[in-house]
Amino acid sequence: MALVLLAGVGVWATARWAPDCRPWPADRVTVRLVGGECVGYSDTAGQVFNSEPGQDRLRAVQRRIFAQNRAAEEVWRRSDHRRPYLTLVYLGSLTGNRTRADEESYVSEREELEGMATAQYALLKESAAADDAALLHIVVANAGRQMRHAGEAVRLLEGLARDDPTVLGVVGLVDSRASTASALRELNRVGLPVLAPTLSADRMDANSSLYLAMSAPNREQVRMVEAYARQVLRVGEAHVYWTTGEGSSLAEDLYVATLVDGLRERFGSRLTRLDEWRSGRRMTQECGYRGMLFFAGRWSEFDGFLRALKECGADPPRHLVADDSVNRYMANPGLRASAPGNLPVTYVSKAALATCAALRAAQARRDDARGSFLTWIGADDLLDPPRCRDGAGPPVGERVSLAYDAAMMVVRALESLAARLRHADTGRRWEPRSVNPVGVHAEVLRQNAAGGYPGVGGLVRYAPDSGEPVAKRLALLTVARVPDVAAAPVEVFACGVADGGPDPGCRPR
């Protein structure tokens, strides 16, 4: 009988755990094997998400964060717990994609983690005597491919938030999907604010009163693309192709669905073709097309879309424009190598103010916020590899500054609350239960009402009744030859506010 019981335990353990998904006897690690994916959260190198080939940089930034967690705890201890101390959870899709050994398939997630690690690093660099400066602890959580197991992840995070009063919010969520909307509703029920660096499906804020987007909604992206077609390309019509990623649909993919709806409404009769593109479909009908050819799909299909256009040879479409999801493709040199070399691509950027060139220019004009960010991302002991070094080096990454801004917006709100509590003046220890997540969210909005948050990626302002930013800056970047990964993209068009003042509208650069 004992042998039967032991065998049963073995079957249970095998179903629940895997070699790269296991319980850890210390620190905050809670994971479950769900549908073959390791779902849950961790704050220690004992559990690093994603053991797939090609994902070394994703694992490296997790380990950097976990090491900085230990450093933050030590600084807090040495401050006699006087400094404000908070925990933010990064919730994203850290597993599930099929990858080659040389293919980085989690660029968005890695970049967002790098942004949060940069915020954490900047706070650790504050003076030991700076009792008013907060310290940031980060928990990394995985909701599985396309956020499909977000419900299970949120249930686990609910227990963490209940037990740990330093947990004040969630950053991430990566993709605007129906599963993401469901997770937002659950996080709202739990009472955790969510700051989303790149979610842009229209009205995602309807799912949570505690939701704040860092990027412009899709209707603003559509407005910019239409203005570019009219003002710069001077074309009278457009063809649009959309995709939703493997195993998804237009009903489930809120990002693509709202983008397509917006394009249909904005272009009206000028939209003369609107089709789904699937792998293997030929694109010879677009050879030589003189209108705007717009890719309104997921980055994971853009490689196949470009390869299909190779069949056009010396007669490619004249004006290929792509949505912001394509940033993930553009950040992957291995995929870009097989693209046609005679087909320029113009694509949407949500963080054009945080490229290496833009940051250097900002530093030269003594913009302290962007200059400091440039210093941090080029440090020897943070990102691997360091960014923007010696006039060269790898690009910053589209989402690094957006996640940095999200984390720092919460940090500044907590510091403001702490100053009003006057804990530093009286020498008292920081008491995490003196604030709560909803109160910190309210403080973010209170500070925002005074003129907006001056983010590295642009000014962030919210209307009183919305979690979507108002006039948040967007840009269009052009790459003349997609396989030429060494050439920096060129900004050709922009909409929205960079640093303050009235909305300048959309204009060529």
Side-chain angles (χ1 to χ4, degrees), residues 295-309:
F295 178 82
R298 291 290 180 175
W299 73 275
S300 48
E301 283 79 53
F302 192 62
D303 180 51
F305 186 79
L306 286 181
R307 282 190 282 106
L309 291 172

Side-chain angles (χ1 to χ4, degrees), residues 377-461:
I377 62 174
D380 289 326
D381 55 345
L382 178 59
L383 305 183
D384 184 16
R387 310 298 151 78
C388 308
R389 295 277 289 272
D390 303 321
V396 181
E398 174 76 7
R399 293 158 175 82
V400 179
S401 65
L402 295 168
Y404 172 87
D405 285 343
M408 292 304 287
M409 203 157 69
V410 179
V411 166
R412 297 310 179 212
L414 177 65
E415 289 175 343
S416 176
L417 289 172
R420 294 214 296 276
L421 290 168
R422 299 181 63 83
H423 81 280
D425 292 342
T426 61
R428 290 182 304 171
R429 290 186 170 195
W430 172 247
E431 174 47 63
R433 295 189 186 279
S434 61
V435 299
N436 60 53
V438 175
V440 172
H441 174 267
E443 178 62 18
V444 169
L445 294 181
R446 188 194 71 80
Q447 291 186 354
N448 192 272
Y453 178 78
V456 172
L459 188 71
V460 184
R461 296 185 296 193

Side-chain angles (χ1 to χ4, degrees), residues 256-273:
V256 174
T258 59
L259 187 60
V260 168
D261 286 346
L263 290 163
R264 185 188 291 115
E265 180 179 348
R266 192 89 185 183
F267 279 87
S269 61
R270 292 175 294 154
L271 185 57
T272 54
R273 177 172 290 154

